[in-house]
Amino acid sequence: MNSDRADKREFRLARLGWLSRTIFAVSAVAGLAFVAGFGLFADRIGRLETPSDPPGADAIIVLTGGQFRLDAAVELLRSGKGQRLLISGVNPVARDSELKAVMGADDRLFSCCIDIDRAAIDTVGNAAESAKWVNEHAYTSIILVTNNYHMPRSLLEMRRLLKTTDVRPYPVVNSRLDDGSWLVKPDAVRVLFTEYTKFLTALARSPFAGGPEQAAQTRSANAR
């Protein structure tokens, strides 16, 4: 009887040990994959360059978040690279006069060719509001302007909703990341790591996300 109990106890211990080793092995592999993925992501970002003379498109969309983004988008509009410009994610309290001053856009350009989206509060919202705007104007091609580190996730969200629209990336590069110097810059590492985790989250939910309506619902739920 005691022998049976000892055998069962030994079996349970052996099973527990196997389970622990399996969990450790899986965790180690997942951790290595995560780190390797981050390295590939950072390398991809570092290789992005701002096009010197991109081909024209029907319209231009810029996602707020930096002065250089707005400057680049307005310059594309002025140079005839798009018919209209949508600025997505503008702070609801920002006045048009303040935007004009920041962008250096005159009244004529602002009134004829620039639309403002104040509803979007994140990248998912940017994509949803942009998709509505693109569909309303029946545009078939757009230039997407945002920072290089933000471009992969922005493209993923945009292309998920604009499946038949040619979305052309225009990454804005504020500082070079292709020489590896970002590894010794804590702020750069933090920005890249944060964006990488957000990109993985967007990638994970992408196959299950619906159209603009579902995106809006997801954005509302995330805001709560």
Side-chain angles (χ1 to χ4, degrees):
M1 196 68 165
N2 291 334
S3 177
D4 290 342
R5 290 179 178 176
D7 290 342
K8 289 180 179 179
R9 183 173 181 275
E10 184 177 346
F11 174 76
R12 286 196 297 269
L13 290 174
R15 186 175 181 181
L16 181 60
W18 174 85
L19 182 60
S20 299
R21 289 191 297 272
T22 300
I23 292 175
F24 176 80
V26 171
S27 299
V29 171
L32 289 174
F34 183 84
V35 172
F38 175 62
L40 292 174
F41 179 82
D43 181 69
R44 177 186 177 187
I45 297 300
R47 294 177 184 274
L48 292 178
E49 297 181 351
T50 303
S52 58
D53 185 24
D58 291 339
I60 305 161
I61 296 175
V62 59
L63 310 185
T64 56
Q67 175 63 43
F68 293 110
R69 302 184 192 183
L70 294 176
D71 292 343
V74 171
E75 184 57 34
L76 287 172
L77 181 64
R78 284 189 176 129
S79 61
K81 296 301 183 180
Q83 302 170 22
R84 295 188 70 82
L85 166 65
L86 173 67
I87 306 175
S88 179
V90 174
N91 192 315
V93 302
R95 300 176 181 176
D96 288 354
S97 59
E98 295 173 335
L99 288 175
K100 293 177 186 177
V102 169
M103 297 162 52
D106 55 41
D107 291 338
R108 182 194 60 79
L109 184 66
F110 202 88
S111 61
C112 84
C113 309
I114 297 178
D115 296 321
I116 307 297
D117 155 43
R118 290 184 168 85
I121 59 175
D122 55 19
T123 305
V124 175
N126 290 142
E129 297 303 320
S130 296
K132 293 177 184 177
W133 184 76
V134 168
N135 292 330
E136 286 173 0
H137 292 83
Y139 292 140
T140 60
S141 62
I142 60 170
I143 298 174
L144 177 63
V145 181
T146 190
N147 283 99
N148 53 346
Y149 62 84
H150 189 224
M151 186 58 74
R153 183 161 59 100
S154 300
L155 279 176
L156 179 65
E157 298 291 1
M158 288 286 181
R159 287 173 173 167
R160 178 173 57 81
L161 299 181
L162 296 171
K163 300 184 187 310
T164 61
T165 303
D166 182 11
V167 183
R168 305 170 186 174
Y170 189 93
V172 176
V173 181
N174 294 341
S175 58
R176 292 187 57 183
L177 298 172
D178 58 344
D179 58 0
S181 61
W182 61 270
L183 289 168
V184 295
K185 297 178 180 178
D187 287 344
V189 174
R190 176 182 55 78
V191 169
L192 286 173
F193 184 79
T194 299
E195 191 58 37
Y196 173 59
T197 57
K198 290 181 178 180
F199 175 76
L200 291 181
T201 301
L203 194 64
R205 58 169 287 274
S206 185
F208 307 100
E213 295 79 7
Q214 180 61 42
Q217 293 174 7
T218 302
R219 183 176 74 255
S220 175
N222 290 338
R224 294 194 185 102

